[in-house]
Amino acid sequence: MGRLDGKVTLITGGARGQGAEEARLFASEGATVIITDVLDEEGRACAADIPRTTYLHLDVRSEAAWEEIVAGVIRTHGRVDVLVNNAGIDLAKRFELTTLDDWERVVAVNQTGVFLGMRTVGRAMISAGTGGSIINVSSVAGMEGVRGRAAYGSTKWAVRGITKVGALEWGEHGIRVNSIHPGFIETPMTADLKAFKDPETRVRAEKVVSLRRMGQPLDIAWMALFLASDESSYCTGQEFVVDGGVHH
Ligand code: NAD
């Protein structure tokens, strides 16, 4: 028996990285998985390799697209039990060099995308009356200030904040809302960062991590599985840091 048997789960930004790993783990625990992304080729290929998994194009910045996708999932599967707001983009730039365009681009995906996902799926969960679990992917940059992450860090603090509002307002409907705060995770997002690709810098970066290694997507997927499953049924409005011991 799987921990997610019969659950309908929707993961944004699921074509690769952490989202794809969550799709694999959720499906192995019996879930029906819908991965969404803007990378159609990678998304389709990823879904084709995972049982009970389909890929749909969803740009999380679009209100109309969210309405269409959620209505379609409900038509096909009857409901949504779990939403993972995982899609995100990074921006490493000094504060004084950050342009308004930079700021708006990052906010649109990382913050507005999470708001739209929560609201659209939250409404569907409320009308279905069956509760659910919403998992928002923030960052350690949403727990503390990180140099070079004025725009990115702001969105991740915002995600942490909106998580708590959702939890407060929707607890009465049996909807749980929590955030995950990954540290340094090895994915396509971080592949070009010096801390990952330059061996000497990587050794130095790993010394900042108590467990002395970079995180892997599966480290985050296990936490997402816990929050998606009934094993976390008394957890809501909380932040779950998964960073090998960087943030203290
Ligand atoms: P990733 O780049 O591999 O995956 C992010 C996915 O989001 C990609 O598939 C991308 O196409 C998708 N995406 C981007 N813009 C989108 C849009 N407008 N609509 C829909 N999808 C879109 O990176 P990842 O490391 O797997 O990141 C997953 C989440 O984890 C992100 O929210 C990221 O900010 C967060 N995070 C990552 C790290 C890390 O070290 N990798 C650390 C902390 C937090």
Side-chain angles (χ1 to χ4, degrees), residues 156-210:
K156 295 302 187 180
W157 278 82
V159 167
R160 181 179 166 199
I162 200 173
T163 297
K164 294 185 186 299
V165 180
L168 282 168
E169 293 195 12
W170 295 340
E172 63 182 308
H173 299 289
I175 301 169
R176 301 183 294 104
V177 192
N178 293 286
S179 54
I180 299 182
H181 299 256
F184 302 124
I185 312 299
E186 196 148 22
T187 67
M189 179 181 279
T190 51
D192 285 334
L193 297 180
K194 238 178 137 187
F196 283 83
K197 72 173 184 193
D198 173 56
E200 275 174 33
T201 316
R202 183 168 177 140
V203 169
R204 278 203 303 279
E206 284 173 344
K207 285 199 177 128
V208 176
V209 184
S210 299

Side-chain angles (χ1 to χ4, degrees), residues 13 16-18 37-39 58-61 86-89 109 137-139 152 156 182-185 187-190:
R16 65 183 199 189
Q18 295 172 44
D37 209 297
V38 288
L39 301 175
L58 168 65
D59 185 331
V60 295
R61 298 170 295 186
N86 162 78
I89 55 171
V109 180
V137 181
S138 173
S139 169
Y152 181 83
K156 295 302 187 180
F184 302 124
I185 312 299
T187 67
M189 179 181 279
T190 51

Side-chain angles (χ1 to χ4, degrees), residues 41-113:
E41 215 171 294
E42 286 179 54
R44 275 191 212 103
C46 178
D49 282 344
I50 313 176
R52 290 180 305 285
T53 300
T54 46
Y55 170 77
L56 297 172
H57 180 94
L58 168 65
D59 185 331
V60 295
R61 298 170 295 186
S62 164
E63 184 174 31
W66 268 109
E67 294 296 340
E68 199 184 312
I69 290 292
V70 174
V73 170
I74 286 165
R75 262 197 315 278
T76 312
H77 301 287
R79 60 188 197 284
V80 182
D81 298 303
V82 175
L83 167 67
V84 186
N85 277 313
N86 162 78
I89 55 171
D90 190 19
L91 176 70
K93 217 171 196 184
R94 287 194 64 89
F95 201 135
E96 68 274 20
L97 301 178
T98 303
T99 65
L100 182 58
D101 273 358
D102 289 332
W103 173 268
E104 286 175 343
R105 191 164 45 84
V106 177
V107 167
V109 180
N110 296 5
Q111 186 174 343
T112 309

